[in-house]
Amino acid sequence: MTIQADASEATSHATIPAIFPILETARQQVLEDGIGLTQEQLEEVLRLPDEALPAALQLAHEVRVRHCGEDVEVEGIISIKTGGCPEDCHFCSQSGLFDSPVRGVWLDIPELVKAAKETAATGATEFCIVAAVRGPDIKLMNQIKFAIDRINEAVDINIACSLGMLTQRQVDQLAEWGVHRYNHNLETARSYFPEVVTTHSYEERLETCNMVKAAGMELCCGALIGMGETLEQRAELAAQLAALEPHEVPLNFLNPRPGTPLENQGIMDGKDALRAIAAFRLAMPRTVLRYAGGRELTLGDLGTRNGLLGGINAVIVGNYLTTLGRPATADLNLLVELNMPIKELQKTL
Amino acid sequence: MTGVSTGSTSGVPIPNRPLTSQARPGNPAVVAPGSTSGAAYCGHCGEPYDGGDGPPSSAHRECGARLAMEPPRYCAACRRRMKVQVTPLGWSAECSRHGVLVP
Ligand code: SF4
Ligand SMILES: [Zn+2]
Ligand SMILES: [Zn+2]
């Protein structure tokens, strides 16, 4: 892996040149007044020239410290059911509709509990159980209930789930079982969604998100950028997420997977990724903005640092669902070096 | 539905992969990612190595780099797709014939 030098250079110069009107506006509107930027304003941020990037990241960092605090939230994620999904999200190696090398596999509960313990030992407060499904069936719901009980017996950590689209009854069950956060991503802008997914609609995703919020669970609703969307659509996505007011937004950068329709999509430019981080923070001053998949490929080690100093206030520690992440110690040491405390566990059951 | 659909790593040393008790000694599936030594097939793309014990062909050079960022998907001995399980701090890959690899 080579670090994208241009991305790191973009934030390595302390001198901040000329005034950029959108950043002046954002300083008052977002930092002082706590009001996120509009879609049009976000588009301006995404179009800022390279020389404005350090100032944009600096402002985004000030916003996150002012409105979210110094803490960084650490989470581990794990796949309980991998592969064989009937949906056709064009970026996903777990769709059973593509010629992907990912084989279907279930994780057994003792392994899951062991992983939860290991995750908690890193200082993580969140453990997210993920399944590659359109939505859970009875078998999966029973497995989840059993897993939650075993994890709660063994370790003190908040449990989140990501099980696809839910019925109202399933939402109520998960809330009753103590799932404190539910992940369901919008992934991309409404206007680009049909290019990326054809087996379900944006509205169906929104429906699950709204049910989760109404049931009192925290909503984690993420983005995957670098899929060929335009800058307008990237701004549209940030604005649509902001309108949903999720507790957390995990920000993924496309890692083109073999066998998927997006396998030949290039890796996103590092500076564009940093501009997006700043823009998402300026769209959502109070939301947990989490570094998720693809950051290592798009931004490299220095980019991880730049993002943490540019609006990010949460990380996924260790590996992802089908690919590997930076070693957990690398991120944890970086937080120490940056003097950023890890958020402590507050059970919200 | 996955909260995180993608991922990778950088600057991670290429892991050694000892055999677990389920795999047989001398299993040619057990090779360092990116190495062709003793491997018939590329763990990333599943295509044959053409260099025998020689250096990886250019076709698999990128696969070698990828294998530092993701677990192998194909058994290097028999090319079967393996059952791969990734956890926050580890992974394992199982070939139904040749056993389990761990980092
Ligand atoms: S629903 Fe989730 S697991 Fe299934 S294809 Fe889409 S992103 Fe992948
Ligand atoms: Zn290969
Ligand atoms: Zn084999």
Side-chain angles (χ1 to χ4, degrees):
Chain A
M1 160 63 45
T2 52
I3 292 163
Q4 294 200 349
D6 53 349
S8 55
E9 277 165 20
T11 55
S12 64
H13 302 300
T15 44
I16 294 176
I19 303 290
F20 298 96
I22 183 61
L23 296 182
E24 289 303 297
T25 304
R27 180 163 290 279
Q28 181 61 47
Q29 181 179 327
V30 189
L31 182 66
E32 301 300 335
D33 303 339
I35 300 167
L37 296 184
T38 64
Q39 184 174 328
E40 291 70 28
Q41 291 173 318
L42 291 167
E43 209 180 308
E44 279 188 66
V45 173
L46 292 171
R47 292 190 189 286
L48 280 170
D50 290 352
E51 57 270 27
L53 189 47
L57 290 167
Q58 170 67 31
L59 177 59
H61 183 58
E62 287 177 50
V63 167
R64 97 86 160 151
V65 171
R66 170 88 59 95
H67 294 287
C68 305
E70 297 276 358
D71 291 359
V72 172
E73 192 185 90
V74 176
E75 177 188 51
I77 60 169
I78 193 156
S79 176
I80 190 169
K81 186 253 174 192
T82 303
C85 180
E87 302 303 289
D88 76 344
C89 309
H90 289 15
F91 51 84
C92 183
S93 64
Q94 300 199 62
S95 169
L97 302 177
F98 310 140
D99 189 20
S100 160
V102 174
R103 270 189 71 178
V105 58
W106 284 79
L107 186 68
D108 63 26
I109 302 300
E111 283 294 318
L112 193 76
V113 173
K114 178 168 164 265
K117 284 184 186 165
E118 290 170 353
T119 301
T122 68
T125 52
E126 304 285 321
F127 186 68
C128 186
I129 305 169
V130 184
V133 291
R134 175 181 168 89
D137 58 12
I138 288 177
K139 177 190 167 194
L140 179 58
M141 288 298 279
N142 288 340
Q143 282 279 85
I144 293 294
K145 170 79 171 89
F146 188 68
I148 290 170
D149 290 345
R150 299 292 82 77
I151 292 169
N152 281 334
E153 282 166 12
V155 58
D156 223 7
I157 195 161
N158 285 323
I159 298 173
C161 287
S162 181
L163 313 172
M165 291 178 281
L166 302 176
T167 63
Q168 184 62 56
R169 178 171 154 70
Q170 289 168 335
V171 170
D172 295 341
Q173 283 178 316
L174 292 173
E176 190 190 315
W177 298 343
V179 171
H180 106 123
R181 191 176 295 175
Y182 191 80
N183 166 265
H184 198 58
N185 291 347
L186 289 185
E187 308 290 13
T188 194
R190 182 195 293 269
S191 66
Y192 196 58
F193 194 84
E195 305 290 320
V196 178
V197 182
T198 69
T199 47
H200 58 269
S201 68
Y202 202 75
E203 281 63 36
E204 285 176 282
R205 289 205 176 209
L206 280 175
E207 207 174 301
T208 292
C209 291
N210 286 323
M211 281 193 290
V212 164
K213 281 182 70 176
M217 283 186 280
E218 291 178 357
L219 173 65
C220 166
C221 185
L224 172 53
I225 60 176
M227 292 196 286
E229 73 280 3
T230 63
L231 291 185
E232 291 86 341
Q233 286 167 326
R234 210 168 280 166
E236 180 194 336
L237 169 60
Q240 282 162 351
L241 282 167
L244 198 51
E245 296 184 352
H247 183 86
E248 173 192 334
V249 171
L251 188 54
N252 296 275
F253 308 97
L254 181 72
N255 176 353
R257 306 311 305 152
T260 65
L262 290 177
E263 71 174 327
N264 295 320
Q265 180 75 35
I267 291 166
M268 190 179 173
D269 174 72
K271 284 180 194 163
D272 284 344
L274 291 173
R275 268 185 277 266
I277 290 169
F280 274 62
R281 173 52 71 204
L282 296 176
M284 293 169 277
R286 290 175 200 82
T287 303
V288 174
L289 185 58
R290 188 180 304 280
Y291 250 146
R295 66 175 149 123
E296 298 84 355
L297 203 60
T298 303
L299 288 162
D301 291 336
L302 276 177
T304 293
R305 171 191 293 262
N306 293 339
L308 281 164
L309 292 169
I312 295 284
N313 68 331
V315 294
I316 287 175
V317 75
N319 298 329
Y320 301 111
L321 300 172
T322 61
T323 57
L324 307 181
R326 276 158 49 100
T329 47
D331 279 343
L332 298 173
N333 290 342
L334 180 59
L335 294 179
V336 171
E337 189 193 322
L338 296 176
N339 216 5
M340 292 181 182
I342 294 177
K343 185 181 164 197
E344 289 181 6
L345 187 68
Q346 293 157 328
K347 275 275 185 183
T348 53
L349 304 188
Chain B
M1 184 64 55
T2 57
V4 176
S5 44
T6 61
S8 61
T9 188
S10 64
V12 183
I14 291 172
N16 291 320
R17 307 212 235 122
L19 281 173
T20 67
S21 56
Q22 295 172 60
R24 287 177 282 171
N27 180 348
V30 186
V31 290
S35 160
T36 60
S37 176
Y41 300 101
C42 172
H44 180 67
C45 72
E47 293 301 316
Y49 280 124
D50 54 8
D53 287 336
S57 71
S58 56
H60 295 291
R61 225 170 262 147
E62 198 172 313
C63 298
R66 284 280 175 172
L67 284 172
M69 304 190 289
E70 50 197 89
R73 292 282 162 190
Y74 295 92
C75 176
C78 70
R79 199 189 189 178
R80 281 184 173 83
R81 273 197 310 155
M82 296 192 287
K83 280 187 178 173
V84 177
Q85 192 74 65
V86 179
T87 63
L89 301 180
W91 58 264
S92 65
E94 180 182 359
C95 168
S96 57
R97 171 127 189 240
H98 291 104
V100 181
L101 299 178
V102 292

